[in-house]
Amino acid sequence: MFKTRCISAVFLVIIALVTILSGSYILAATLLAISCIAFYELSKACNLHTEKGINILEAVCYLAILAFYAFTVFASDDMLIILWAIVFFLAILGVYVFTFPKYHASQIMAAYFCVFYAPVMFSFIYRIRMTKYGIYLVWMVFVSSWISDTFAYLTGMLLGRHKLAPVLSPKKSIEGSIGGIAGSSLAGALFGFIFSSKAGQEINMVVVCALLGAFGSVISQIGDLAASAIKRNCEIKDYGHLIPGHGGIMDRFDSVIVTAPIIYFLVYFLIK
């Protein structure tokens, strides 16, 4: 299992390197594909998808995801994103009304949640990449998620005494959480130091990346626990089996999904 996880991790890193360094349409297309897979996994967990195939509610959601990424990539006015959110909301309400009682109210709410949770949140990776210094700072999404997870695990193993979320995740500790935040901040500072020459004197990349690492770590831990809570509620072990040794897209990127928008807005306010 460990060997399988390592091979899968290396493969994921290669894909990330190729797509993120390429940026633009290649990155957007990759995120669109990942978003659709993530939505599929969530729709199964939330009982939107059945073995009979894609239903009309799912079809509307997939069209909404495609439209959202089209607006994200090609539209310069963010008001169109607000318009998208309203039109999508009205569209699924229309499905609810005109097919009643085929879908329960909980499924309609879940549909909106599933589209926002993964596809919309994933898109912020693209948004970060397209900002100034984005080719460097976008990696802080992964540093503050995956490095944080590693440091939290190691610190928890060595020093963990007090439970962070005893009912939801008994193995996670407060000490591990603090270790994850500290480790992510230090890793961010090191990352910023390595690439500080690229920013010149305009920004202090070390401080910026240290802050991104610390705040990103806090949010990534919440994202990890939230994804676990959904699995508990839905009574599933994994969201999928696409990535050998890791599970599905939602299993591997649960912390990345919620970290990306936070990193984006921190970058926006810190490097204006």
Side-chain angles (χ1 to χ4, degrees):
M1 178 61 74
F2 179 74
K3 181 180 178 181
T4 302
R5 285 179 63 88
C6 287
I7 294 173
S8 296
V10 170
F11 185 67
L12 289 173
V13 169
I14 292 172
I15 293 176
L17 282 169
V18 172
T19 57
I20 291 176
L21 290 177
S22 299
S24 193
Y25 299 143
I26 293 177
L27 176 58
T30 303
L31 289 172
L32 172 60
I34 292 174
S35 294
C36 288
I37 297 170
F39 171 77
Y40 171 75
E41 293 174 352
L42 283 167
S43 67
K44 286 181 64 180
C46 295
N47 296 317
L48 298 179
H49 179 78
T50 65
E51 298 303 322
K52 295 179 181 179
I54 296 177
N55 55 56
I56 187 171
L57 181 58
E58 289 177 284
V60 168
C61 290
Y62 282 116
L63 287 173
I65 294 168
L66 180 60
F68 176 79
Y69 272 87
F71 284 144
T72 299
V73 175
F74 299 109
S76 57
D77 187 355
D78 284 341
M79 281 298 292
L80 288 174
I81 300 297
I82 299 175
L83 174 62
W84 167 87
I86 294 172
V87 171
F88 172 46
F89 180 67
L90 293 175
I92 58 175
L93 283 185
V95 172
Y96 180 42
V97 169
F98 293 112
T99 62
F100 191 85
K102 183 176 181 179
Y103 300 103
H104 191 273
S106 61
Q107 291 177 296
I108 299 300
M109 290 183 278
Y112 203 87
F113 170 79
C114 291
V115 169
F116 194 91
Y117 185 17
V120 172
M121 303 287 264
F122 260 130
S123 72
F124 282 91
I125 294 176
Y126 173 83
R127 287 180 175 271
I128 298 169
R129 173 62 178 84
M130 301 309 290
T131 62
K132 190 176 184 180
Y133 309 119
I135 193 171
Y136 309 110
L137 294 174
V138 69
W139 296 103
M140 285 306 303
V141 175
F142 303 96
V143 168
S144 59
S145 298
W146 294 343
I147 296 298
S148 169
D149 186 56
T150 301
F151 272 93
Y153 173 78
L154 294 175
T155 307
M157 288 287 290
L158 293 172
L159 305 172
R161 296 292 184 275
H162 303 86
K163 302 300 182 183
L164 179 65
V167 176
L168 179 58
S169 187
K171 292 184 179 180
K172 294 186 185 296
S173 65
I174 295 175
E175 293 83 0
S177 176
I178 295 172
I181 296 168
S184 180
S185 181
L186 289 172
L190 177 60
F191 180 87
F193 176 76
I194 294 171
F195 292 102
S196 58
S197 61
K198 304 296 181 181
Q201 300 299 315
E202 188 173 346
I203 62 169
N204 190 326
M205 191 71 88
V206 174
V207 173
V208 168
C209 289
L211 290 173
L212 294 180
F215 281 101
S217 173
V218 173
I219 301 302
S220 74
Q221 292 181 49
I222 294 174
D224 179 50
L225 290 169
S228 297
I230 293 172
K231 287 193 287 188
R232 289 286 188 90
N233 285 156
C234 297
E235 299 181 346
I236 57 174
K237 184 177 184 296
D238 295 311
Y239 284 101
H241 307 285
L242 180 65
I243 309 172
H246 293 273
I249 292 294
M250 288 298 302
D251 296 295
R252 177 65 277 184
F253 293 94
D254 51 5
S255 56
V256 169
I257 290 171
V258 296
T259 304
I262 298 302
I263 296 296
Y264 171 77
F265 285 110
L266 285 172
V267 167
Y268 177 81
F269 288 112
L270 291 173
I271 310 174
K272 229 172 183 180

